Amino acid sequence: MTTAAPTPPTTPAAGGRDLPHPGRHEIRLESVLHALADPMRLQVVRELAAVGDELSCSHFDLPVTKSTTTHHFRVLRESGVIRQIYRGTAKMNGLRQEDLDALFPGLLDSVLAAATSQAARLADAGATDA
C-alpha cells in the first residue's frame, strides 16, 4: 500500500492576493516533518523563530535560485509551518508556532534546539579541520 502525497490546502484566506493556508485542524504531522526536513526550509524556520516576528521573503538569503526559494516557502506554507500575507508589495512570513505547539507540543522547540546543536557541532568540526 502506498501513502498518498499530502494535498495542497484548499482553505484560501479571503481576498484576491491572499494565499491558501491549512486551518489548524488540517495540519498533519507528516507534512510538518517533511517541511522541516529540508536544510533550506529549516534555515527559514530558525530565522523566523529567532526573530519572533514576521520577515519578508527578501530578508532571507538562501543559496538557491529565486524559484527554488519560492518553492521552499510554498512547502512551509502548505504544511502549516508558516503563514504568509501580503503587506503592500512585500510577502511577509510568520511562524505558526501557536498552532504547531497546540497540535504537537514541544515538537518545534525540539527541532529548533536540535538544529542549533547540530550547527554548533558542525561549526566545531569545521574549525578543527582547518
Side-chain angles (χ1 to χ4, degrees):
M1 174 189 247
T2 60
T3 304
T7 57
T10 57
T11 311
R17 292 191 68 197
D18 289 340
L19 302 162
H21 296 85
R24 181 185 280 190
H25 66 282
E26 297 174 300
I27 297 173
R28 302 283 310 256
L29 178 61
E30 56 272 21
S31 295
V32 171
L33 292 174
H34 169 75
L36 296 174
D38 182 88
M40 294 298 110
R41 294 192 289 264
L42 186 56
Q43 180 180 334
V44 168
V45 172
R46 289 181 69 200
E47 287 186 45
L48 287 170
V51 170
D53 200 3
E54 294 178 341
L55 294 171
S56 70
C57 289
S58 63
H59 166 84
F60 299 92
D61 186 25
L62 302 179
V64 295
T65 65
K66 185 176 179 181
S67 63
T68 301
T69 298
T70 299
H71 167 75
H72 286 311
F73 279 106
R74 182 178 54 80
V75 170
L76 288 167
R77 177 176 43 82
E78 289 180 352
S79 68
V81 174
I82 66 169
R83 179 164 305 279
Q84 291 185 304
I85 186 166
Y86 280 100
R87 298 207 192 284
T89 59
K91 190 186 294 182
M92 302 302 291
N93 303 280
L95 192 57
R96 292 182 66 177
Q97 183 142 8
E98 185 177 311
D99 289 333
L100 295 172
D101 287 346
L103 293 167
F104 317 112
L107 175 68
L108 188 57
D109 290 338
S110 294
V111 168
L112 292 170
T116 298
S117 175
Q118 175 177 275
R121 180 174 45 87
L122 294 175
D124 287 346
T128 58
D129 291 343

